Amino acid sequence: PEEIEEIVVTTNLRSVIGNASENKYKLQTTSDARFSIPYTVAAAAVRRKVFIDDFTEESIKDQRVLEVVRRVKVKADPKLDELPGIVAPNTIELTTKDGRHYSKYLEYAKGHPRDPMNWAECVDKFQRCADFSINPLAEKTIAQVINEVHNLEKVQDVRRIMQLLQGP
């Protein structure tokens, strides 16, 4: 992250307008962070991932991430507004302080029907999300849910899965 000179995110106009306010760069609340392209991109650059725990009161004050937030620019490509769908493709361009340049075009986010998650990714995400449940689940229960969902065709009564998810 300390080698990053600038990150430019090119997206649709709707997203740029939504990220034009100062609170997208100077976060005051976790809600500011959740809807901030600069923060989300900076968190990904610093932590190499973005997950629920990146949007806590403590996480949004991480100076390593906030340093990178200042180097993220969001710009619009009007052509992206003409595309069908709710989520527009994005291009991310990263320039390092020594002049190296990297670019990535992402048409569909992971989990989109055109870029689906595989079973292992679904299991991993479920397990990580379960840690943030209002009713924490035991590891044994998490394993049971995963097994039930994996064998959904054989499940006699899906209410069993719902009961497991409710926790103790």
Side-chain angles (χ1 to χ4, degrees):
E2 52 280 340
E3 295 179 29
I4 296 170
E5 177 71 30
E6 178 181 66
I7 301 174
V8 178
V9 178
T10 304
T11 188
N12 62 3
L13 183 60
R14 203 175 33 237
S15 296
V16 171
I17 290 171
N19 279 274
S21 69
E22 188 67 22
N23 66 345
K24 300 303 177 180
Y25 287 88
K26 294 184 178 178
L27 309 168
Q28 300 299 312
T29 68
T30 57
S31 186
D32 291 341
R34 282 192 297 273
F35 297 101
S36 170
I37 291 173
Y39 174 79
T40 304
V41 168
V46 171
R47 299 184 185 125
R48 305 290 192 250
K49 58 96 182 153
V50 179
F51 198 63
I52 297 167
D53 55 348
D54 291 302
F55 300 94
T56 64
E57 290 288 338
E58 182 180 332
S59 291
I60 69 168
K61 294 175 184 166
D62 182 338
Q63 289 304 309
R64 297 171 309 142
V65 174
L66 296 177
E67 256 317 294
V68 177
V69 166
R70 292 188 267 280
R71 295 184 236 149
V72 177
K73 299 191 177 24
V74 183
K75 68 178 193 175
D77 179 348
K79 290 183 239 159
L80 296 177
D81 288 301
E82 298 169 11
L83 298 174
I86 297 171
V87 180
N90 296 283
T91 300
I92 297 183
E93 299 168 274
L94 186 146
T95 305
T96 62
K97 291 180 179 177
D98 65 3
R100 288 175 287 153
H101 186 81
Y102 303 91
S103 180
K104 175 76 174 176
Y105 173 77
L106 185 65
E107 189 167 5
Y108 300 102
K110 190 65 167 173
H112 185 281
R114 297 221 176 140
D115 188 10
M117 295 183 350
N118 63 37
W119 177 250
E121 292 167 326
C122 289
V123 168
D124 178 60
K125 186 169 184 177
F126 173 70
Q127 288 172 320
R128 289 185 298 139
C129 286
D131 290 340
F132 294 90
S133 173
I134 200 159
N135 295 320
L137 302 175
E139 284 185 41
K140 179 182 173 188
T141 304
I142 292 170
Q144 287 176 296
V145 171
I146 292 167
N147 184 57
E148 294 280 329
V149 171
H150 190 65
N151 296 295
L152 196 57
E153 307 82 33
K154 299 173 188 167
V155 171
Q156 297 294 320
D157 188 345
V158 293
R159 289 180 293 186
R160 169 83 177 122
I161 297 171
M162 298 309 294
Q163 289 166 346
L164 288 167
L165 289 171
Q166 289 177 8

